[in-house]
C-alpha cells in the first residue's frame, strides 16, 4: 500500500530554559493513502505534537518525514507552504482562526493564497458552511461566534482546497452529538466523491477508523481496527 506520509526515527523535544521535555522518541509510522487514522492517548502524551509534525506545521524535530515521497527537511519554507496549501488541511485544537474576519472570509482565505478563481472559492466556502449549519453566521466576525461554531468554521477552512490529507485535532470537542454527526456525514460524503487521508485526534466519535495510532510513553503504536 502506498504511503502518503512516512515517519522515520522521529524524536521531538521541547527545550525550555530550565529543562528539555522529550515528547516523542524514535517514532516510525507509515500513513497509507486515503485511509482513516485515529490518534489516541492521554492528555499531554503528545498527540497534538505528532499531528503538527505530520501536517508539516512543526518542522523542528530530528528524524525524517516524507510527504508524498518528499523529505520535508529538504524543502525550503516556500516549498513547504506550497505543499501545505495544495495537499494539507489542518484543524488546530485551538482553531487559529482570524478573529476579526468573518466566518466566510476565514474559510475563503487559504484558497485565495492557492490562486483559485474567487467565485468558485466563495461558492464552495458558502456550501461548506451551509452543510455545517453555519449559513446564518457566515458574515459574522469569528470573535462573536460560539466555540462550537468556531470549530466548524475551522473544519470548513481545512476542506476548502480539497486537500489529499486532512489532519484534525479533536475536531468535535466543542460539538453536540447532532453537529458531530453532521460533520462526519460531510466527511463521508466528500471522501466518497474524492478520497482523502484523514488523521484525527479523537476521544470518542462514531466514525470507524482503519487504524488507531496510540501515543504512549513517547512511543507510537499502530493497530488495525478492521
Ligand atoms: N510549545 C511547547 N513548549 C513546551 N512544551 C510543550 C509545548 N507544546 C507541548 N508541550 C508539552 O509536550 C507534551 C505533549 O503535549 P501535546 O499538546 O502534544 O499533548 P496532547 O496529547 O495533545 O494533550 P491534550 O490531550 O491535552 O491535547 C506536554 O507535556 C506539553 O506540556
Ligand atoms: Mg492536544
Amino acid at each position: 500500500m502506498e504511503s502518503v506520509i512516512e515517519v522515520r526515527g522521529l524524536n521531538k523535544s521541547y527545550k525550555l530554559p530550565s529543562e528539555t521535555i522529550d515528547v516523542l522518541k524514535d517514532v516510525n509510522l507509515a500513513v497509507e493513502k486515503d485511509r482513516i487514522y485515529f490518534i489516541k492517548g492521554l492528555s499531554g502524551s503528545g498527540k497534538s505534537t505528532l499531528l503538527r509534525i505530520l501536517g508539516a506545521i512543526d518542522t523542528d524535530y530530528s528524524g525524517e518525514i516524507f510527504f508524498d515521497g518528499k523529505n520535508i527537511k529538504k524543502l525550503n519554507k516556500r516549498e513547504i507552504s506550497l505543499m501545505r496549501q495544495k495537499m494539507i488541511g489542518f484543524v488546530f485544537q485551538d482553531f487559529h482562526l482570524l478573529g476579526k474576519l468573518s466566518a466566510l472570509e476565514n474559510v475563503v482565505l487559504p484558497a485565495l493564497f492557492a490562486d483559485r478563481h474567487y467565485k468558485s472559492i466563495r461558492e464552495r466556502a458558502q456550501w461548506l458552511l451551509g452543510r455545517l449549519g453555519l449559513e446564518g453566521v457566515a458574515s459574522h466576525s469569528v470573535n462573536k461566534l460560539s466555540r462550537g461554531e468556531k470549530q466548524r468554521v475551522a473544519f470548513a477552512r481545512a476542506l476548502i482546497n480539497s486537500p489529499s490529507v486532512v489532519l484534525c485535532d479533536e475536531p468535535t470537542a466543542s460539538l453536540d452529538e447532532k453537529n458531530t454527526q453532521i460533520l462526519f456525514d460531510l466527511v463521508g460524503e466528500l471522501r466518497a466523491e474524492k478520497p482523502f487521508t484523514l488523521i484525527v485526534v479523537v476521544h470518542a466519535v462514531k466514525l470507524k477508523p482503519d487504524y488507531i495510532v496510540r501515543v504512549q510513553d513517547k512511543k507510537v503504536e499502530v493497530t488495525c481496527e478492521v
Side-chain angles (χ1 to χ4, degrees), residues 14-16 21-23 41-50 52 93 169-170 201 203 215:
Y14 293 106
K15 290 181 185 62
L16 304 179
I21 306 171
D22 295 324
V23 182
L42 296 176
S43 177
S45 60
K47 303 181 297 296
S48 298
T49 300
L50 176 65
R52 282 195 296 269
Q93 190 164 13
D169 203 342
E170 305 198 34
V201 175
H203 287 294
V215 188

Side-chain angles (χ1 to χ4, degrees), residues 104-202:
L104 185 69
E105 286 162 344
N106 268 277
V107 178
V108 157
L109 207 59
L112 294 182
F113 290 122
D115 208 16
R116 286 172 40 202
H117 188 254
Y118 183 68
K119 191 162 167 276
S120 67
I121 298 166
R122 203 185 145 88
E123 275 169 14
R124 179 168 167 86
Q126 276 166 332
W127 180 81
L128 285 167
L129 288 171
R131 282 299 309 267
L132 294 168
L134 295 172
E135 56 280 299
V137 295
S139 62
H140 298 192
S141 81
V142 158
N143 280 337
K144 306 242 162 68
L145 302 183
S146 74
R147 266 191 81 75
E149 287 168 339
K150 283 182 189 148
Q151 188 137 44
R152 283 176 279 159
V153 173
F155 198 74
R157 181 181 63 179
L159 296 172
I160 188 75
N161 284 337
S162 307
S164 48
V165 182
V166 177
L167 303 108
C168 310
D169 203 342
E170 305 198 34
T172 59
S174 303
L175 299 186
D176 53 63
E177 207 168 299
K178 179 172 163 241
N179 278 297
T180 300
Q181 191 58 53
I182 288 174
L183 189 141
F184 283 106
D185 285 348
L186 175 62
V187 166
E189 193 182 308
L190 292 173
R191 289 183 82 248
E193 259 171 39
K194 178 176 176 273
F196 56 84
T197 310
L198 180 65
I199 308 176
V200 197
V201 175
V202 77

Side-chain angles (χ1 to χ4, degrees), residues 26-141:
D26 195 25
V27 168
N28 296 288
L29 176 69
V31 175
E32 292 171 8
K33 193 173 180 304
D34 298 340
R35 299 284 189 171
I36 298 177
Y37 289 78
F38 282 180
I39 302 182
K40 296 187 165 190
L42 296 176
S43 177
S45 60
K47 303 181 297 296
S48 298
T49 300
L50 176 65
L51 200 74
R52 282 195 296 269
I53 292 173
L54 292 177
I57 306 271
D58 180 0
T59 51
D60 180 17
Y61 52 79
S62 73
E64 289 179 319
I65 315 265
F66 294 83
F67 210 106
D68 240 12
K70 286 189 213 79
N71 188 339
I72 302 222
K73 281 265 168 85
K74 301 252 160 81
L75 304 178
N76 63 33
K77 278 204 171 136
R78 200 184 112 79
E79 288 166 331
I80 293 178
S81 79
L82 275 176
M83 183 196 80
R84 283 187 29 213
Q85 253 168 40
K86 271 209 338 232
M87 292 189 61
I88 300 176
F90 201 97
V91 182
F92 290 89
Q93 190 164 13
D94 45 4
F95 318 136
H96 290 207
L97 295 166
L98 297 171
K100 286 187 182 155
L101 298 187
S102 72
L104 185 69
E105 286 162 344
N106 268 277
V107 178
V108 157
L109 207 59
L112 294 182
F113 290 122
D115 208 16
R116 286 172 40 202
H117 188 254
Y118 183 68
K119 191 162 167 276
S120 67
I121 298 166
R122 203 185 145 88
E123 275 169 14
R124 179 168 167 86
Q126 276 166 332
W127 180 81
L128 285 167
L129 288 171
R131 282 299 309 267
L132 294 168
L134 295 172
E135 56 280 299
V137 295
S139 62
H140 298 192
S141 81

